[in-house]
């Protein structure tokens, strides 16, 4: 895909504390799970299930994820395409992505059962 890759840390510069801090926010964890299901997502708030948030708020959350090394973002014209850096995260912290996705799914199921 054409376009400019926005600044992100090199794989060796990704730090576990930054990744976990970035994913400590419920909105960013939601984005993490959404990006894990697609090879690449656009930044449409409604499609991401965040239509209730302002576009600038979602952009902020995406920037935090990118700067922590969780995602990569490619600018194509005025559009942004975001992808989870799954291979990089798996290489740097084996099992982390799967553990976070499993924990997130279990949390979502528990919340659904409470409703």
């Amino acid at each position: 895909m054409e376009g400019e890759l926005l600044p992100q840390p090199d794989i060796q510069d990704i730090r576990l504390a930054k990744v976990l801090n970035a994913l400590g926010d419920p909105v960013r964890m939601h984005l993490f799970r959404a990006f894990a299901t697609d090879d690449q997502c656009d930044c449409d708030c409604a499609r991401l299930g965040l239509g209730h948030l302002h576009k600038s708020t979602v952009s902020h959350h995406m920037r935090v994820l990118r700067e922590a090394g969780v995602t990569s973002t490619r600018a194509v014209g005025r559009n942004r395409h975001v992808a989870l850096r799954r291979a990089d995260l798996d290489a740097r912290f084996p099992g982390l992505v799967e553990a976070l996705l499993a924990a997130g799914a279990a949390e979502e199921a528990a919340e659904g059962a409470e409703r």
Side-chain angles (χ1 to χ4, degrees), residues 6-109:
L6 299 184
Q8 64 186 24
D10 292 330
I11 186 172
Q12 69 272 11
D13 296 328
I14 299 173
R15 298 289 176 251
L16 183 60
K18 282 191 150 200
V19 170
L20 295 176
N21 185 51
L23 294 173
D25 181 278
V27 171
R28 291 193 290 268
M29 191 64 185
H30 173 86
L31 288 169
F32 173 78
R33 289 192 307 266
F35 296 146
T37 62
D38 285 322
D39 287 339
Q40 193 158 291
C41 294
D42 62 20
C43 296
D44 183 272
C45 297
R47 257 196 303 277
L48 290 169
L50 299 173
H52 62 286
L53 296 176
H54 195 277
K55 187 176 179 180
S56 64
T57 301
V58 175
S59 293
H60 164 75
H61 287 300
M62 288 188 186
R63 181 177 52 87
V64 170
L65 290 170
R66 179 178 48 81
E67 290 177 350
V70 175
T71 60
S72 64
T73 303
R74 187 167 297 280
V76 181
R78 294 183 54 151
N79 298 315
R80 301 290 182 266
H81 300 279
V82 180
L84 181 65
R85 293 179 65 183
R86 189 176 198 136
D88 291 344
L89 291 169
D90 285 341
R92 190 84 171 98
F93 312 109
L96 178 66
V97 172
E98 285 305 317
L100 290 170
L101 291 174
E107 227 174 69
E108 241 177 43

